[in-house]
């Protein structure tokens, strides 16, 4: 009887050690797969289009948004918009953003972040000239200064927003033709 009792005790200890080992292994595996998943989200493949001097280019983004790029401009965007936000990084561009309430469209330049709430607008943000302007034709755009997030403006149609002496200035647009 003692031998059976000792065997049951040893068997019980083995089962407890197996439970502990499986818990540790499962924890490490889940942690590893979570880190791999998170790293995959951070490493988004980006497409870059640069327009040479004297040319103009039209691009359709993966979500169906239409983009006009002027001469000497560059745009970067993910090869697929599969995150919660659709975003592009640019200098100067005219955009017609495809409507999608579930995936906000974000436009970033060096100093500004625009959250697109509407459809048609132009952005001029060349870092070498320190100039920033965005002109809205349809819809609305929320503009935030990256260096000072308290400076946020929601731009309405037929208005232009520019940065003058570190402050946003909004003006009414009478003529969209700059020439």
């Amino acid at each position: 009887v003692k031998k059976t009792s000792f065997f049951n005790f040893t068997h019980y200890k083995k089962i407890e050690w197996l439970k502990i080992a499986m818990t540790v292994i499962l924890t490490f595996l889940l942690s590893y797969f979570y880190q791999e998943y998170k790293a995959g989200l951070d490493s988004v493949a980006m497409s870059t289009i640069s327009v040479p001097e004297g040319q103009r280019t039209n691009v359709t983004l993966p979500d169906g948004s239409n983009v006009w790029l002027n001469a000497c401009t560059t745009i970067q965007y993910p090869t697929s918009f599969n995150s919660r936000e659709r975003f592009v990084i640019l200098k100067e561009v005219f955009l017609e953003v495809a409507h999608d309430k579930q995936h906000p469209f974000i436009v970033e330049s060096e100093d500004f972040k625009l959250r697109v709430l509407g459809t048609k607008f132009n952005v001029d943000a060349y870092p070498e000239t320190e100039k920033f302007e965005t002109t809205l034709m349809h819809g609305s755009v929320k503009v935030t200064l990256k260096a000072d997030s308290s400076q946020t403006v929601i731009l309405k149609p037929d208005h232009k927003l520019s940065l003058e002496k570190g402050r946003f200035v909004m003006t009414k647009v009478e003529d969209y033709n700059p020439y």
Side-chain angles (χ1 to χ4, degrees):
V1 172
K2 286 186 178 183
K3 202 171 200 178
T4 307
S5 174
F6 178 74
F7 176 74
N8 285 339
F9 181 73
T10 305
H11 182 71
Y12 176 74
K13 275 190 146 187
K14 286 180 183 177
I15 290 174
E16 287 302 309
W17 277 107
L18 276 173
K19 285 181 184 177
I20 292 170
M22 290 305 290
T23 303
V24 169
I25 290 170
L26 187 59
T27 302
F28 280 120
L29 284 174
L30 287 173
S31 176
Y32 171 78
F33 286 120
Y34 174 74
Q35 293 300 323
E36 287 296 313
Y37 169 75
K38 193 173 172 186
L41 291 178
D42 294 339
S43 60
V44 174
M46 298 290 282
S47 293
T48 302
I49 297 176
S50 295
V51 181
E53 192 172 328
Q55 293 185 13
R56 191 171 166 189
T57 301
N58 180 250
V59 177
T60 301
L61 299 179
D63 69 341
S65 295
N66 188 29
V67 178
W68 281 97
L69 299 163
N70 285 332
C72 302
T73 61
T74 301
I75 186 171
Q76 284 187 304
Y77 59 91
T79 54
S80 66
F81 290 125
N82 55 7
S83 64
R84 290 180 298 226
E85 292 181 338
R86 302 172 291 162
F87 71 94
V88 297
I89 302 167
L90 56 84
K91 289 185 180 178
E92 182 184 8
V93 68
F94 174 80
L95 296 112
E96 290 182 49
V97 177
H99 183 72
D100 185 348
K101 281 188 176 183
Q102 303 303 319
H103 301 93
F105 197 94
I106 307 298
V107 177
E108 287 194 29
S109 70
E110 260 185 45
D111 300 318
F112 304 93
K113 185 174 185 176
L114 291 85
R115 183 181 183 96
V116 179
L117 309 171
T119 55
K120 292 183 181 182
F121 64 102
N122 186 71
V123 177
D124 183 353
Y126 289 99
E128 56 273 8
T129 63
E130 296 183 14
K131 176 183 175 185
F132 170 79
E133 285 184 355
T134 185
T135 306
L136 183 66
M137 288 78 175
H138 299 286
S140 62
V141 176
K142 180 179 178 182
V143 184
T144 303
L145 184 62
K146 283 184 179 179
D148 181 4
S149 61
S150 69
Q151 285 199 63
T152 299
V153 174
I154 296 181
L155 194 58
K156 297 297 177 191
D158 300 322
H159 284 84
K160 176 171 67 173
L161 185 69
S162 56
L163 189 68
E164 295 178 15
K165 297 180 183 174
R167 293 301 217 193
F168 285 135
V169 176
M170 191 178 329
T171 55
K172 179 98 170 120
V173 176
E174 301 295 332
D175 183 12
Y176 285 106
N177 186 1
Y179 305 107

